[in-house]
Amino acid sequence: MWMYGVLVLLWAAIVRAQFPRVCVTPEGLRSGQCCPSPFGRAADPCGVSLRRGQCMPVRVDSRPHGPQYPHDGRDDRERWPIRFFNRTCQCSGNFSGHDCGRCRHGFSGPNCDQRVPVVRRNVMTMSANEKRAFVDALDRAKRTVHPEIVITTRRYSEVFGTDGNTPQFENITIYNYFVWSHYYSVSKTFLGGGEPSFGGVDFSHEGPGFVTWHRFHLLQLERDMQDMLRDPTFALPYWNFAIGGNQCDICTDDLMGARSNFDMNSISSNSIFAQWRVICESVEDYDSLGTICNSTESNPIRRNPAGNVARPMVQKLPEPQDVAACLDVSTFDTPPFYSTSSESFRNTIEGYSHPAGTYDPVVRSLHNLAHLFLNGTGGTTHLSPNDPIFILLHTFTDAIFDEWLRRHPESAIYPLENTPIGHNRDYNMVPFWPPITNAEMFLTAPENLGYSYEVEWPSRPITLTEIVTIAVVAALIVVAIIFAITTCAVRSRSYKMDGRQPLLGEQYQRYDDHDRHDKTQSVV
């Protein structure tokens, strides 16, 4: 097992957050302001001297959330991130980042005005060298301490430490931060006082924010890896999991790791991912003691695709027609904007409804089915990003979301309120920094977010009703053709008979020459 050079988080409490290392000084925390200068100048917050941005109050969503969360005031993720910081950089133009020192995704150059292509491709179409480079980049991200972000190990009332002047924050690697962010968003609300932790809260699933939260989650990792590699064109590939059958086509040693020959639940030792260790595994301690996932690594990744014999329905992957049907669902989300919503594109792509949109409590489809198919670390919500297949699965899910936005612009309406907590349109997504709302990710990617997909979408299969309709129409056409042919044949025979009756023929030919007043007269 590798040593990653990350400080071990010894213990933690109920409130968690991640912020730029430069902001977590005693002064910064007490002021509630995180507006550093990209140039290290004390009097130049957010690069205001060069009009990169300015220090502004954090805006938080004040609209009501749904009834799923009844513990208002008990969780520091509420009204994120106001408990920790209330002022942050608001960047101008194509500048971005916690200090406006970076370029917006898809742009580069000193003034962030040079477009760069960031194209997400099917991982199965990549060359051997491209696959190797991607795997190596992931492994490097697993071992590289994040250059900007640290995570707190204490609730806010204790964040200054026992001496009141030692902020309780720790380092974490780029990839482990990706895992930690996901865990943080799904963790239970610790109530203390002997009460069991409340599990009916999820800031990234079972609500409209499922697609927007995971979109930014991927975007943040992609940006971090671009910076790590010093390659602004680096793009996360996707796995088209809608191939049907019970074979994991990306589970090979040149990609995400084949199955071990010695343990069906493990990854082949020929894969670099066999050496990875997971974080955020001690869920019972988190829930009972109010502690938090930290960067302490524990066990290997577990994976046994199609191996869950107790649930046959999750032993095969989604079919291509499932994606086509999902893309035909015309409404983005429907009340109660939860995992029980019906005729909802979001609930359908998330996988709580049939591919055509009808809610069924027994069904697991598309995104959910792909996770459960992996049958191991990747099928457990709080652990799933530890398996790097998570990235490829969610980039394809995001591609479907982006295609839906393109096909249904008139239906792309994100609910303002009464969604599960964290999912309202203007809620700052937990735990991302700088604050970013669900609405800011509810846009087509190529035009607004700086990346695009190369993907061919399956056509929708013809339904039985459509087959019957086509058959009836075809039969009517055949009957019409036969009638037309028969009519022509009769007329042709009649014309031939006309040739033997010249007097009658002459009378008919002269009929049009008669005066209008004579047209009622008999031709006989």
Side-chain angles (χ1 to χ4, degrees), residues 4-10 21 145 150-151 153 169-173 176 294-297:
Y4 296 120
V6 182
L7 295 176
V8 176
L9 305 185
L10 297 176
R21 186 177 290 104
V145 173
V150 290
I151 56 174
T153 62
F169 290 84
E170 300 287 353
N171 289 332
I172 193 165
T173 69
N176 282 350
N294 56 38
S295 62
T296 300
E297 298 183 337

Side-chain angles (χ1 to χ4, degrees), residues 56 71 86 110 154 157 250 264 331 334 350 371 423 427 484:
M56 299 290 289
H71 297 290
N86 54 44
R154 290 284 194 171
S157 62
I250 59 172
M264 67 172 55
T331 303
T334 59
E350 190 168 358
H371 270 298
H423 291 260
Y427 203 96

Side-chain angles (χ1 to χ4, degrees), residues 15 73 75-76 78-85 156:
V15 178
D75 193 317
D76 283 339
E78 298 171 30
R79 304 180 73 236
W80 180 261
I82 209 71
R83 183 67 61 89
F84 294 91
F85 291 102
Y156 185 76

Side-chain angles (χ1 to χ4, degrees), residues 174-194:
I174 290 172
Y175 194 86
N176 282 350
Y177 169 58
F178 180 72
V179 178
W180 184 91
S181 298
H182 190 266
Y183 168 79
Y184 177 86
S185 74
V186 306
S187 59
K188 296 180 180 180
T189 297
F190 182 71
L191 300 176

Side-chain angles (χ1 to χ4, degrees), residues 8 126 175 187 223 305 377 440 475 513:
V8 176
M126 292 165 59
Y175 194 86
S187 59
R223 284 181 182 175
T377 303
E440 292 174 83
D513 294 332

Side-chain angles (χ1 to χ4, degrees), residues 24 110 136 156 170 176 203 216 224 288 293 328 357 369 395 408 445 459 498 524:
V24 295
D136 289 347
Y156 185 76
E170 300 287 353
N176 282 350
F203 288 83
F216 189 76
D224 287 342
S288 62
C293 160
D328 277 347
L369 179 54
T395 42
H408 302 278
S459 58
D498 289 348
V524 179

Side-chain angles (χ1 to χ4, degrees), residues 124 239-252 257-259 303-308 312 314-320 369-370 373-375 389:
M124 296 300 291
W239 169 39
N240 180 358
F241 54 71
I243 56 176
N246 61 2
Q247 298 299 312
C248 176
D249 56 346
I250 59 172
C251 296
T252 56
R259 193 194 307 268
R303 188 196 300 157
N304 182 11
N308 190 344
V314 302
Q315 288 186 293
K316 63 178 183 178
L317 288 164
E319 300 283 348
L369 179 54
F373 172 84
L374 296 174
N375 188 35
I389 287 181

Side-chain angles (χ1 to χ4, degrees), residues 209-263:
F210 165 73
V211 286
T212 49
W213 191 98
H214 286 85
R215 166 168 277 194
F216 189 76
H217 191 218
L218 293 168
L219 201 59
Q220 190 174 61
L221 177 65
E222 192 167 65
R223 284 181 182 175
D224 287 342
M225 293 183 70
Q226 288 173 349
D227 291 346
M228 178 188 73
L229 298 169
R230 297 184 180 180
D231 178 6
T233 68
F234 171 81
L236 298 171
Y238 66 87
W239 169 39
N240 180 358
F241 54 71
I243 56 176
N246 61 2
Q247 298 299 312
C248 176
D249 56 346
I250 59 172
C251 296
T252 56
D253 284 336
D254 65 330
L255 272 175
M256 312 315 289
R259 193 194 307 268
S260 169
N261 292 325
F262 306 102
D263 180 357

